[in-house]
Amino acid sequence: MSIWWSLHLRRDAASVPLARRLLLGAMETAGVDPDVSYDLSVALTEACANAVEHGGGTAWGGFSEAYRVTAYLEGEKCRIEVADAGPGFPAVAGGRAHPPARPAPYDAEHGRGLCLIQELADHVHIGNKPDRGGAVVSFDKILKWRKGAPLMAV
């Protein structure tokens, strides 16, 4: 079984729950375990909120009002990618992106999203788009299925 979808969304707070609801609907329809769906939806919410807040700027030669969400349910794994056209993460030696190394304090209102994504997903990649500017956050999670799931991987 393979399902994928891609959204091109405005950098607006209203786009975040839209992406989350679409993911949850697809997972429920496919028969993914609700706990796994919830973890992925929280991680997606954090990645989208970061794109909305930080994903503007002058990448691609102009101001960007959009970001992209792509989700793949492939076999026993779900991969989600959120890409924006903002300034991206600061580069370190060798030109590699360097996301924040330390989580924010537990009572901070900002700065915990990337750490939360890393806790909820099985594999996380945080970086910059090559040559075009913008950040890319992608994460995978192994799927568990409800009993009798209609689209369970075989």
PDB file of all heavy atoms in Angstrom, residues 63-92:
ATOM      1  N   PHE A  63       9.714  37.512  -1.703  1.00  0.00           N
ATOM      2  CA  PHE A  63       9.112  37.151  -0.429  1.00  0.00           C
ATOM      3  C   PHE A  63       8.182  35.964  -0.638  1.00  0.00           C
ATOM      4  O   PHE A  63       7.373  35.958  -1.557  1.00  0.00           O
ATOM      5  CB  PHE A  63       8.352  38.349   0.141  1.00  0.00           C
ATOM      6  CG  PHE A  63       7.809  38.094   1.512  1.00  0.00           C
ATOM      7  CD1 PHE A  63       8.655  38.102   2.606  1.00  0.00           C
ATOM      8  CD2 PHE A  63       6.479  37.813   1.700  1.00  0.00           C
ATOM      9  CE1 PHE A  63       8.167  37.852   3.883  1.00  0.00           C
ATOM     10  CE2 PHE A  63       5.983  37.565   2.965  1.00  0.00           C
ATOM     11  CZ  PHE A  63       6.831  37.586   4.056  1.00  0.00           C
ATOM     12  N   SER A  64       8.291  34.971   0.194  1.00  0.00           N
ATOM     13  CA  SER A  64       7.457  33.787   0.042  1.00  0.00           C
ATOM     14  C   SER A  64       6.297  33.811   1.021  1.00  0.00           C
ATOM     15  O   SER A  64       6.474  34.031   2.203  1.00  0.00           O
ATOM     16  CB  SER A  64       8.282  32.524   0.280  1.00  0.00           C
ATOM     17  OG  SER A  64       7.428  31.404   0.226  1.00  0.00           O
ATOM     18  N   GLU A  65       5.129  33.556   0.506  1.00  0.00           N
ATOM     19  CA  GLU A  65       3.922  33.481   1.324  1.00  0.00           C
ATOM     20  C   GLU A  65       3.425  32.052   1.439  1.00  0.00           C
ATOM     21  O   GLU A  65       2.288  31.836   1.813  1.00  0.00           O
ATOM     22  CB  GLU A  65       2.825  34.363   0.715  1.00  0.00           C
ATOM     23  CG  GLU A  65       3.076  35.842   0.878  1.00  0.00           C
ATOM     24  CD  GLU A  65       3.014  36.278   2.330  1.00  0.00           C
ATOM     25  OE1 GLU A  65       2.242  35.715   3.115  1.00  0.00           O
ATOM     26  OE2 GLU A  65       3.763  37.199   2.681  1.00  0.00           O
ATOM     27  N   ALA A  66       4.251  31.066   1.072  1.00  0.00           N
ATOM     28  CA  ALA A  66       3.785  29.682   1.063  1.00  0.00           C
ATOM     29  C   ALA A  66       4.850  28.737   1.616  1.00  0.00           C
ATOM     30  O   ALA A  66       6.023  29.087   1.700  1.00  0.00           O
ATOM     31  CB  ALA A  66       3.412  29.276  -0.359  1.00  0.00           C
ATOM     32  N   TYR A  67       4.386  27.545   1.966  1.00  0.00           N
ATOM     33  CA  TYR A  67       5.269  26.446   2.330  1.00  0.00           C
ATOM     34  C   TYR A  67       4.627  25.160   1.825  1.00  0.00           C
ATOM     35  O   TYR A  67       3.468  25.155   1.404  1.00  0.00           O
ATOM     36  CB  TYR A  67       5.547  26.403   3.834  1.00  0.00           C
ATOM     37  CG  TYR A  67       4.361  26.075   4.708  1.00  0.00           C
ATOM     38  CD1 TYR A  67       4.198  24.804   5.234  1.00  0.00           C
ATOM     39  CD2 TYR A  67       3.413  27.042   5.030  1.00  0.00           C
ATOM     40  CE1 TYR A  67       3.128  24.498   6.054  1.00  0.00           C
ATOM     41  CE2 TYR A  67       2.339  26.747   5.849  1.00  0.00           C
ATOM     42  CZ  TYR A  67       2.197  25.472   6.356  1.00  0.00           C
ATOM     43  OH  TYR A  67       1.133  25.176   7.163  1.00  0.00           O
ATOM     44  N   ARG A  68       5.390  24.075   1.814  1.00  0.00           N
ATOM     45  CA  ARG A  68       4.900  22.824   1.249  1.00  0.00           C
ATOM     46  C   ARG A  68       4.958  21.713   2.301  1.00  0.00           C
ATOM     47  O   ARG A  68       5.934  21.590   3.028  1.00  0.00           O
ATOM     48  CB  ARG A  68       5.752  22.421   0.046  1.00  0.00           C
ATOM     49  CG  ARG A  68       5.207  21.215  -0.712  1.00  0.00           C
ATOM     50  CD  ARG A  68       6.141  20.732  -1.801  1.00  0.00           C
ATOM     51  NE  ARG A  68       7.251  20.009  -1.184  1.00  0.00           N
ATOM     52  CZ  ARG A  68       8.531  20.355  -1.274  1.00  0.00           C
ATOM     53  NH1 ARG A  68       8.897  21.408  -1.969  1.00  0.00           N
ATOM     54  NH2 ARG A  68       9.465  19.657  -0.670  1.00  0.00           N
ATOM     55  N   VAL A  69       3.903  20.905   2.324  1.00  0.00           N
ATOM     56  CA  VAL A  69       3.837  19.716   3.169  1.00  0.00           C
ATOM     57  C   VAL A  69       3.626  18.518   2.252  1.00  0.00           C
ATOM     58  O   VAL A  69       2.722  18.528   1.423  1.00  0.00           O
ATOM     59  CB  VAL A  69       2.665  19.794   4.178  1.00  0.00           C
ATOM     60  CG1 VAL A  69       2.543  18.504   4.974  1.00  0.00           C
ATOM     61  CG2 VAL A  69       2.808  20.987   5.092  1.00  0.00           C
ATOM     62  N   THR A  70       4.456  17.508   2.404  1.00  0.00           N
ATOM     63  CA  THR A  70       4.306  16.271   1.640  1.00  0.00           C
ATOM     64  C   THR A  70       4.312  15.111   2.618  1.00  0.00           C
ATOM     65  O   THR A  70       5.149  15.074   3.527  1.00  0.00           O
ATOM     66  CB  THR A  70       5.459  16.107   0.628  1.00  0.00           C
ATOM     67  OG1 THR A  70       5.524  17.288  -0.183  1.00  0.00           O
ATOM     68  CG2 THR A  70       5.234  14.901  -0.270  1.00  0.00           C
ATOM     69  N   ALA A  71       3.375  14.199   2.443  1.00  0.00           N
ATOM     70  CA  ALA A  71       3.291  13.020   3.316  1.00  0.00           C
ATOM     71  C   ALA A  71       3.247  11.766   2.455  1.00  0.00           C
ATOM     72  O   ALA A  71       2.565  11.725   1.430  1.00  0.00           O
ATOM     73  CB  ALA A  71       2.052  13.096   4.200  1.00  0.00           C
ATOM     74  N   TYR A  72       3.998  10.753   2.883  1.00  0.00           N
ATOM     75  CA  TYR A  72       4.049   9.461   2.207  1.00  0.00           C
ATOM     76  C   TYR A  72       3.730   8.376   3.219  1.00  0.00           C
ATOM     77  O   TYR A  72       4.385   8.309   4.255  1.00  0.00           O
ATOM     78  CB  TYR A  72       5.452   9.165   1.673  1.00  0.00           C
ATOM     79  CG  TYR A  72       6.036  10.197   0.768  1.00  0.00           C
ATOM     80  CD1 TYR A  72       6.793  11.242   1.287  1.00  0.00           C
ATOM     81  CD2 TYR A  72       5.863  10.113  -0.609  1.00  0.00           C
ATOM     82  CE1 TYR A  72       7.351  12.197   0.462  1.00  0.00           C
ATOM     83  CE2 TYR A  72       6.424  11.071  -1.445  1.00  0.00           C
ATOM     84  CZ  TYR A  72       7.167  12.097  -0.906  1.00  0.00           C
ATOM     85  OH  TYR A  72       7.719  13.037  -1.722  1.00  0.00           O
ATOM     86  N   LEU A  73       2.762   7.545   2.922  1.00  0.00           N
ATOM     87  CA  LEU A  73       2.544   6.314   3.665  1.00  0.00           C
ATOM     88  C   LEU A  73       2.990   5.218   2.718  1.00  0.00           C
ATOM     89  O   LEU A  73       2.339   4.958   1.704  1.00  0.00           O
ATOM     90  CB  LEU A  73       1.075   6.126   4.037  1.00  0.00           C
ATOM     91  CG  LEU A  73       0.587   6.847   5.284  1.00  0.00           C
ATOM     92  CD1 LEU A  73       0.434   8.315   5.008  1.00  0.00           C
ATOM     93  CD2 LEU A  73      -0.696   6.243   5.765  1.00  0.00           C
ATOM     94  N   GLU A  74       4.126   4.645   3.001  1.00  0.00           N
ATOM     95  CA  GLU A  74       4.748   3.665   2.106  1.00  0.00           C
ATOM     96  C   GLU A  74       5.051   2.410   2.909  1.00  0.00           C
ATOM     97  O   GLU A  74       5.921   2.441   3.793  1.00  0.00           O
ATOM     98  CB  GLU A  74       6.028   4.242   1.517  1.00  0.00           C
ATOM     99  CG  GLU A  74       6.724   3.356   0.527  1.00  0.00           C
ATOM    100  CD  GLU A  74       6.042   3.349  -0.825  1.00  0.00           C
ATOM    101  OE1 GLU A  74       5.716   4.435  -1.331  1.00  0.00           O
ATOM    102  OE2 GLU A  74       5.827   2.260  -1.360  1.00  0.00           O
ATOM    103  N   GLY A  75       4.325   1.348   2.639  1.00  0.00           N
ATOM    104  CA  GLY A  75       4.541   0.105   3.382  1.00  0.00           C
ATOM    105  C   GLY A  75       4.259   0.301   4.853  1.00  0.00           C
ATOM    106  O   GLY A  75       3.174   0.720   5.237  1.00  0.00           O
ATOM    107  N   GLU A  76       5.243   0.058   5.668  1.00  0.00           N
ATOM    108  CA  GLU A  76       5.087   0.154   7.124  1.00  0.00           C
ATOM    109  C   GLU A  76       5.577   1.479   7.692  1.00  0.00           C
ATOM    110  O   GLU A  76       5.742   1.603   8.895  1.00  0.00           O
ATOM    111  CB  GLU A  76       5.861  -0.989   7.799  1.00  0.00           C
ATOM    112  CG  GLU A  76       5.310  -2.365   7.494  1.00  0.00           C
ATOM    113  CD  GLU A  76       3.962  -2.614   8.150  1.00  0.00           C
ATOM    114  OE1 GLU A  76       3.736  -2.133   9.269  1.00  0.00           O
ATOM    115  OE2 GLU A  76       3.135  -3.288   7.528  1.00  0.00           O
ATOM    116  N   LYS A  77       5.831   2.477   6.838  1.00  0.00           N
ATOM    117  CA  LYS A  77       6.429   3.724   7.308  1.00  0.00           C
ATOM    118  C   LYS A  77       5.658   4.925   6.768  1.00  0.00           C
ATOM    119  O   LYS A  77       5.143   4.908   5.665  1.00  0.00           O
ATOM    120  CB  LYS A  77       7.884   3.783   6.834  1.00  0.00           C
ATOM    121  CG  LYS A  77       8.617   5.041   7.238  1.00  0.00           C
ATOM    122  CD  LYS A  77      10.092   4.979   6.904  1.00  0.00           C
ATOM    123  CE  LYS A  77      10.338   5.033   5.420  1.00  0.00           C
ATOM    124  NZ  LYS A  77      11.769   5.150   5.073  1.00  0.00           N
ATOM    125  N   CYS A  78       5.639   5.976   7.556  1.00  0.00           N
ATOM    126  CA  CYS A  78       5.118   7.267   7.111  1.00  0.00           C
ATOM    127  C   CYS A  78       6.268   8.266   7.145  1.00  0.00           C
ATOM    128  O   CYS A  78       7.005   8.338   8.134  1.00  0.00           O
ATOM    129  CB  CYS A  78       3.993   7.752   8.021  1.00  0.00           C
ATOM    130  SG  CYS A  78       3.353   9.382   7.555  1.00  0.00           S
ATOM    131  N   ARG A  79       6.429   8.999   6.062  1.00  0.00           N
ATOM    132  CA  ARG A  79       7.421  10.077   6.010  1.00  0.00           C
ATOM    133  C   ARG A  79       6.672  11.374   5.719  1.00  0.00           C
ATOM    134  O   ARG A  79       5.831  11.444   4.833  1.00  0.00           O
ATOM    135  CB  ARG A  79       8.461   9.862   4.929  1.00  0.00           C
ATOM    136  CG  ARG A  79       9.294  11.144   4.699  1.00  0.00           C
ATOM    137  CD  ARG A  79      10.494  10.937   3.880  1.00  0.00           C
ATOM    138  NE  ARG A  79      11.473  10.313   4.765  1.00  0.00           N
ATOM    139  CZ  ARG A  79      12.589   9.755   4.350  1.00  0.00           C
ATOM    140  NH1 ARG A  79      12.880   9.720   3.081  1.00  0.00           N
ATOM    141  NH2 ARG A  79      13.422   9.248   5.222  1.00  0.00           N
ATOM    142  N   ILE A  80       7.012  12.400   6.479  1.00  0.00           N
ATOM    143  CA  ILE A  80       6.430  13.728   6.303  1.00  0.00           C
ATOM    144  C   ILE A  80       7.562  14.714   6.104  1.00  0.00           C
ATOM    145  O   ILE A  80       8.579  14.649   6.793  1.00  0.00           O
ATOM    146  CB  ILE A  80       5.565  14.117   7.518  1.00  0.00           C
ATOM    147  CG1 ILE A  80       4.405  13.129   7.654  1.00  0.00           C
ATOM    148  CG2 ILE A  80       5.073  15.556   7.384  1.00  0.00           C
ATOM    149  CD1 ILE A  80       3.582  13.298   8.897  1.00  0.00           C
ATOM    150  N   GLU A  81       7.367  15.623   5.156  1.00  0.00           N
ATOM    151  CA  GLU A  81       8.359  16.659   4.885  1.00  0.00           C
ATOM    152  C   GLU A  81       7.658  18.011   4.838  1.00  0.00           C
ATOM    153  O   GLU A  81       6.628  18.147   4.192  1.00  0.00           O
ATOM    154  CB  GLU A  81       9.051  16.388   3.553  1.00  0.00           C
ATOM    155  CG  GLU A  81      10.073  17.440   3.197  1.00  0.00           C
ATOM    156  CD  GLU A  81      10.750  17.143   1.872  1.00  0.00           C
ATOM    157  OE1 GLU A  81      11.596  16.231   1.839  1.00  0.00           O
ATOM    158  OE2 GLU A  81      10.406  17.816   0.891  1.00  0.00           O
ATOM    159  N   VAL A  82       8.217  18.974   5.534  1.00  0.00           N
ATOM    160  CA  VAL A  82       7.725  20.350   5.515  1.00  0.00           C
ATOM    161  C   VAL A  82       8.882  21.220   5.043  1.00  0.00           C
ATOM    162  O   VAL A  82       9.958  21.212   5.648  1.00  0.00           O
ATOM    163  CB  VAL A  82       7.222  20.792   6.906  1.00  0.00           C
ATOM    164  CG1 VAL A  82       6.769  22.252   6.872  1.00  0.00           C
ATOM    165  CG2 VAL A  82       6.087  19.890   7.382  1.00  0.00           C
ATOM    166  N   ALA A  83       8.655  21.958   3.959  1.00  0.00           N
ATOM    167  CA  ALA A  83       9.701  22.794   3.366  1.00  0.00           C
ATOM    168  C   ALA A  83       9.178  24.212   3.205  1.00  0.00           C
ATOM    169  O   ALA A  83       8.043  24.429   2.769  1.00  0.00           O
ATOM    170  CB  ALA A  83      10.117  22.230   2.006  1.00  0.00           C
ATOM    171  N   ASP A  84      10.011  25.173   3.558  1.00  0.00           N
ATOM    172  CA  ASP A  84       9.624  26.573   3.408  1.00  0.00           C
ATOM    173  C   ASP A  84      10.651  27.303   2.554  1.00  0.00           C
ATOM    174  O   ASP A  84      11.612  26.706   2.076  1.00  0.00           O
ATOM    175  CB  ASP A  84       9.434  27.245   4.772  1.00  0.00           C
ATOM    176  CG  ASP A  84      10.711  27.336   5.592  1.00  0.00           C
ATOM    177  OD1 ASP A  84      11.753  27.728   5.044  1.00  0.00           O
ATOM    178  OD2 ASP A  84      10.657  27.044   6.801  1.00  0.00           O
ATOM    179  N   ALA A  85      10.433  28.585   2.359  1.00  0.00           N
ATOM    180  CA  ALA A  85      11.336  29.387   1.529  1.00  0.00           C
ATOM    181  C   ALA A  85      11.958  30.514   2.337  1.00  0.00           C
ATOM    182  O   ALA A  85      12.283  31.562   1.801  1.00  0.00           O
ATOM    183  CB  ALA A  85      10.571  29.952   0.338  1.00  0.00           C
ATOM    184  N   GLY A  86      12.132  30.274   3.624  1.00  0.00           N
ATOM    185  CA  GLY A  86      12.725  31.286   4.487  1.00  0.00           C
ATOM    186  C   GLY A  86      14.237  31.270   4.437  1.00  0.00           C
ATOM    187  O   GLY A  86      14.837  30.685   3.530  1.00  0.00           O
ATOM    188  N   PRO A  87      14.860  31.867   5.422  1.00  0.00           N
ATOM    189  CA  PRO A  87      16.319  31.953   5.439  1.00  0.00           C
ATOM    190  C   PRO A  87      16.994  30.619   5.760  1.00  0.00           C
ATOM    191  O   PRO A  87      18.193  30.473   5.577  1.00  0.00           O
ATOM    192  CB  PRO A  87      16.602  32.983   6.530  1.00  0.00           C
ATOM    193  CG  PRO A  87      15.401  32.933   7.417  1.00  0.00           C
ATOM    194  CD  PRO A  87      14.240  32.604   6.514  1.00  0.00           C
ATOM    195  N   GLY A  88      16.259  29.638   6.238  1.00  0.00           N
ATOM    196  CA  GLY A  88      16.847  28.354   6.600  1.00  0.00           C
ATOM    197  C   GLY A  88      17.577  28.447   7.922  1.00  0.00           C
ATOM    198  O   GLY A  88      17.515  29.444   8.641  1.00  0.00           O
ATOM    199  N   PHE A  89      18.279  27.374   8.252  1.00  0.00           N
ATOM    200  CA  PHE A  89      19.049  27.322   9.484  1.00  0.00           C
ATOM    201  C   PHE A  89      20.437  27.899   9.242  1.00  0.00           C
ATOM    202  O   PHE A  89      20.970  27.783   8.141  1.00  0.00           O
ATOM    203  CB  PHE A  89      19.159  25.875   9.981  1.00  0.00           C
ATOM    204  CG  PHE A  89      17.840  25.284  10.357  1.00  0.00           C
ATOM    205  CD1 PHE A  89      17.177  24.440   9.490  1.00  0.00           C
ATOM    206  CD2 PHE A  89      17.247  25.592  11.572  1.00  0.00           C
ATOM    207  CE1 PHE A  89      15.942  23.899   9.820  1.00  0.00           C
ATOM    208  CE2 PHE A  89      16.024  25.059  11.915  1.00  0.00           C
ATOM    209  CZ  PHE A  89      15.364  24.210  11.042  1.00  0.00           C
ATOM    210  N   PRO A  90      21.040  28.493  10.248  1.00  0.00           N
ATOM    211  CA  PRO A  90      22.401  29.018  10.069  1.00  0.00           C
ATOM    212  C   PRO A  90      23.363  27.892   9.685  1.00  0.00           C
ATOM    213  O   PRO A  90      23.210  26.764  10.128  1.00  0.00           O
ATOM    214  CB  PRO A  90      22.758  29.581  11.448  1.00  0.00           C
ATOM    215  CG  PRO A  90      21.510  29.594  12.242  1.00  0.00           C
ATOM    216  CD  PRO A  90      20.532  28.680  11.591  1.00  0.00           C
ATOM    217  N   ALA A  91      24.330  28.223   8.864  1.00  0.00           N
ATOM    218  CA  ALA A  91      25.313  27.228   8.427  1.00  0.00           C
ATOM    219  C   ALA A  91      26.516  27.226   9.370  1.00  0.00           C
ATOM    220  O   ALA A  91      26.859  28.243   9.958  1.00  0.00           O
ATOM    221  CB  ALA A  91      25.776  27.525   7.010  1.00  0.00           C
ATOM    222  N   VAL A  92      27.113  26.063   9.504  1.00  0.00           N
ATOM    223  CA  VAL A  92      28.357  25.913  10.267  1.00  0.00           C
ATOM    224  C   VAL A  92      29.458  25.554   9.277  1.00  0.00           C
ATOM    225  O   VAL A  92      29.250  25.521   8.081  1.00  0.00           O
ATOM    226  CB  VAL A  92      28.216  24.837  11.371  1.00  0.00           C
ATOM    227  CG1 VAL A  92      27.220  25.271  12.407  1.00  0.00           C
ATOM    228  CG2 VAL A  92      27.843  23.495  10.785  1.00  0.00           C
TER     229      VAL A  92
END
